[in-house]
Amino acid sequence: MSAASVERPHGERPLIAEANRLMDRNPGYRVEIIGGQLLVTPPPDGPHARALTKLMLPFITAGLHVGETEVLQGVGIWLPTDAEDYAIPDLVVADADLDDHLIENNCYDPVCFRLVLEVTSSNWKNDLKTKVAAYAEAKVPVYVVVDRKHQRVHVLTDPVDSEYATHRFHAPGQLVTLPDSIGAKVTLDVAEVLAAGRAKRTPEQS
């Protein structure tokens, strides 16, 4: 069943109005509201974008961008954690009828999302703490974090209240097969993903 669109004037949504002002004034920045707090992320660097491209390939190869699901970047998810809360994951696997589930401010009902994925940046603690609780409360079945800070990949499943009952992390040299609930068998090579997310050495660093 589709969620009804409940857009409201931004005058009645002070945090959303401020978030949209920040994005207008700072092109390329990602602004989210989680727990009633504004989170501002600078534009991604090249390695971050490279890691996302590397990550998209196995999902698309597995057939998740046709039929019942889509593989998308930068799509907003409406969160139940506070009145104006929303997040913008780096990558999602969502139901193909996503457009029928628009809620507000270009964000969609969490029921549409089979997987959300984040590639960490300078504010990596948000991905490993704040967003864990938010996505769990939204009942997102699978949350994947490519942790460039600690060089590992986290896979969190089985959301219960504000946490995931299962949290496994994987180091380079391991292959990670994601749950079948996302719609197809997808295996990630941890070393390849993390290598794509590392900055390339300049001649001076060689």
Side-chain angles (χ1 to χ4, degrees):
M1 181 176 177
S2 298
S5 176
V6 290
E7 291 190 15
R8 300 172 177 83
H10 288 323
E12 298 177 25
R13 291 295 207 181
L15 279 177
I16 286 178
E18 180 60 23
N20 290 338
R21 276 195 294 270
L22 285 169
M23 286 192 291
D24 287 344
R25 294 171 183 171
N26 301 278
Y29 279 68
R30 177 172 56 174
V31 183
E32 303 163 295
I33 305 172
I34 301 180
Q37 301 294 317
L38 285 165
L39 303 180
V40 181
T41 304
D45 58 15
H48 183 283
R50 205 171 288 122
L52 272 181
T53 300
K54 178 68 72 173
L55 283 159
M56 287 190 75
L57 294 175
F59 289 100
I60 292 172
T61 301
L64 287 171
H65 198 57
V66 294
E68 296 182 356
T69 56
E70 294 180 293
V71 183
L72 305 168
Q73 292 187 30
V75 172
I77 176 172
W78 194 255
L79 298 170
T81 43
D82 211 330
E84 298 180 76
D85 280 10
Y86 70 89
I88 307 174
D90 287 319
L91 184 72
V92 305
V93 176
D95 293 340
D97 66 349
L98 179 77
D99 291 346
D100 297 332
H101 295 265
L102 178 66
I103 293 185
E104 186 175 346
N105 205 44
N106 293 329
C107 296
Y108 299 85
D109 192 319
V111 72
C112 302
F113 295 83
R114 301 187 183 195
L115 171 146
V116 297
L117 183 150
E118 301 281 7
V119 177
T120 62
S121 297
S122 56
N123 56 351
W124 54 271
K125 289 182 181 178
N126 288 334
D127 295 330
L128 295 176
K129 294 183 179 180
T130 308
K131 289 188 176 181
V132 170
Y135 291 145
E137 286 199 37
K139 301 295 184 241
V140 176
V142 183
Y143 177 32
V144 177
V145 184
V146 177
D147 183 357
R148 295 195 292 165
K149 171 72 173 179
H150 303 102
Q151 288 295 290
R152 55 195 182 187
V153 172
H154 302 251
V155 179
L156 298 89
T157 56
D158 308 312
V160 180
D161 297 327
S162 60
E163 61 184 12
Y164 283 89
T166 305
H167 181 171
R168 295 188 173 92
F169 56 87
H170 307 270
Q174 294 182 298
L175 298 177
V176 182
T177 299
L178 300 177
D180 292 341
S181 62
I182 66 174
K185 183 176 181 179
V186 174
T187 299
L188 304 178
D189 185 316
V190 176
E192 283 188 2
V193 171
L194 292 172
R198 283 196 292 269
K200 294 182 178 179
R201 288 179 175 271
T202 64
E204 292 79 12
Q205 293 173 315
S206 301

